[in-house]
């Protein structure tokens, strides 16, 4: 939800073996609605598509970005070869306490807000599985979001309710990655719902991972893509495609 794209850097060295990588950054003060965010994202991807119309595009979204990726795929499913969702925050609808708690964010005093996010750290990540430098990066990313922006993006998550018919239109292959030890959201339960609703999808559970699983030393997104997303045509395994991380 920080929108910096910086927390994806752990995965970049391995992904560069097979992909050109583009990370979406959402300005810290951006309070666009879902429709505007989708349009802005589509416009940026269209620029990339024009440079090489035949290139495959893998669209990847984590948490808040998973919601945005779903909406982008609903809008233009024919643009993408694969959709990868990592602990999508669409599952917030299954956590009433989290929805009510998010309302309280706007009442936290301004001076206290940067410090208050520290309380969320153990819920966002399995800290024992993340290097100290990545824990610090996660904390800095959390603190970087202005309070008003955080309140707004939590409101967007509460409003995120694509219909089943819209999800059914996403007929491209979808990989849903869910953390079994996610203490923030019921990601496995949401992954089951999505794989039952999205017509061409499969689920992978990382049993010991926390919500921010892409920061963990033992999570290798490239290996997961090779294992579950690469087509049966062996000549495509070595081809250059694109991963867009939201």
């Amino acid at each position: 939800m920080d929108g910096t794209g910086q927390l994806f850097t752990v995965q970049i060295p391995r992904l560069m073996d097979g992909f050109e990588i583009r990370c979406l950054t959402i300005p810290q003060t951006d309070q666009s609605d879902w429709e505007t965010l989708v349009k802005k994202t589509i416009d940026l991807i269209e620029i990339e598509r024009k440079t090489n119309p035949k290139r495959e595009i893998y669209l990847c979204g984590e948490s808040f970005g998973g919601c945005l990726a779903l909406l982008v795929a609903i809008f233009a499913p024919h643009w993408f070869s694969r959709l990868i969702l990592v602990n999508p925050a669409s599952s917030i609808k299954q956590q009433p306490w989290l929805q009510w708690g998010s309302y309280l964010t706007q009442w936290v005093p301004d001076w206290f807000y940067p410090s208050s996010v520290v309380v969320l750290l153990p819920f966002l990540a399995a800290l024992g599985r993340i290097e100290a430098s990545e824990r610090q990066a996660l904390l800095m990313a959390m603190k970087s979001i202005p309070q008003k922006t955080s309140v707004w993006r939590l409101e967007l998550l509460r409003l995120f309710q694509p219909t089943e018919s819209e999800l059914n239109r996403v007929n491209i292959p979808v990989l849903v990655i869910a953390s079994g030890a996610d203490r923030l959201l019921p990601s496995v339960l949401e992954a089951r719902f999505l794989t039952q609703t999205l017509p061409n999808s499969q689920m992978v559970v990382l049993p010991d991972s926390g919500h921010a699983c892409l920061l963990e030393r033992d999570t290798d997104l490239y290996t997961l893509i090779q294992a579950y997303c690469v087509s049966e045509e062996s000549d495509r395994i070595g081809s250059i495609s694109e991963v867009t991380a939201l």
Side-chain angles (χ1 to χ4, degrees), residues 50-84:
K50 287 180 177 179
T51 62
N52 187 348
K54 295 183 179 180
R55 177 173 49 186
E56 290 188 320
I57 301 178
Y58 284 40
L59 180 66
C60 178
E62 180 186 20
S63 194
F64 181 91
C67 296
L68 179 55
L70 259 176
L71 293 178
V72 170
I74 289 170
F75 184 84
H78 56 286
W79 281 14
F80 307 104
S81 299
R82 296 288 191 277
L83 173 63
I84 304 163

Side-chain angles (χ1 to χ4, degrees), residues 2-229:
D2 60 288
T4 65
Q6 295 299 312
L7 298 180
F8 194 63
T9 56
V10 174
Q11 300 296 329
I12 287 177
R14 280 283 289 141
L15 286 169
M16 287 178 65
D17 290 342
F19 294 91
E20 294 180 24
I21 303 164
R22 304 290 183 269
C23 289
L24 176 71
T25 298
I26 305 174
Q28 292 183 350
T29 56
D30 191 303
Q31 294 189 23
S32 301
D33 57 19
W34 282 123
E35 183 178 358
T36 304
L37 284 174
V38 169
K39 183 181 184 306
K40 290 179 179 178
T41 305
I42 287 288
D43 289 345
L44 290 171
I45 295 175
E46 175 65 5
I47 294 172
E48 294 294 328
R49 290 180 72 244
K50 287 180 177 179
T51 62
N52 187 348
K54 295 183 179 180
R55 177 173 49 186
E56 290 188 320
I57 301 178
Y58 284 40
L59 180 66
C60 178
E62 180 186 20
S63 194
F64 181 91
C67 296
L68 179 55
L70 259 176
L71 293 178
V72 170
I74 289 170
F75 184 84
H78 56 286
W79 281 14
F80 307 104
S81 299
R82 296 288 191 277
L83 173 63
I84 304 163
L85 304 174
V86 184
N87 296 325
S90 51
S91 58
I92 194 173
K93 63 181 180 293
Q94 301 178 38
Q95 290 284 54
W97 69 268
L98 189 57
Q99 292 193 58
W100 282 107
S102 63
Y103 283 111
L104 299 178
T105 303
Q106 59 188 308
W107 302 112
V108 175
D110 293 345
W111 59 268
F112 183 67
Y113 175 76
S115 300
S116 67
V117 299
V118 177
V119 178
L120 283 176
L121 201 59
F123 295 92
L124 278 168
L127 298 179
R129 298 171 60 85
I130 297 178
E131 301 293 347
S133 59
E134 307 311 330
R135 291 199 296 269
Q136 185 67 18
L138 176 59
L139 182 59
M140 290 300 100
M142 293 165 60
K143 287 183 175 181
S144 72
I145 315 173
Q147 185 174 3
K148 290 182 179 179
T149 303
S150 180
V151 170
W152 175 250
R153 291 179 184 172
L154 286 169
E155 175 66 16
L156 287 183
L157 292 179
R158 287 194 292 269
L159 296 173
F160 182 81
Q161 293 183 337
T163 65
E164 289 196 20
S165 62
E166 289 175 326
L167 294 175
N168 287 333
R169 292 205 302 268
V170 183
N171 56 7
I172 58 175
V174 181
L175 175 64
V176 186
I177 300 173
S179 293
D182 191 338
R183 300 178 63 191
L184 184 69
L185 294 170
S187 293
V188 174
L189 189 61
E190 180 69 5
R192 290 186 183 130
F193 165 74
L194 290 172
T195 51
Q196 291 169 359
T197 309
L198 298 165
N200 188 8
S201 59
Q202 55 185 325
M203 177 177 75
V204 175
V205 176
L206 307 178
D208 301 317
S209 291
H211 186 70
C213 63
L214 296 184
L215 286 174
E216 296 175 6
R217 67 178 74 90
D218 295 327
T219 300
D220 187 339
L221 182 58
Y222 183 60
T223 297
L224 292 171
I225 290 173
Q226 283 188 310
Y228 294 97
C229 291

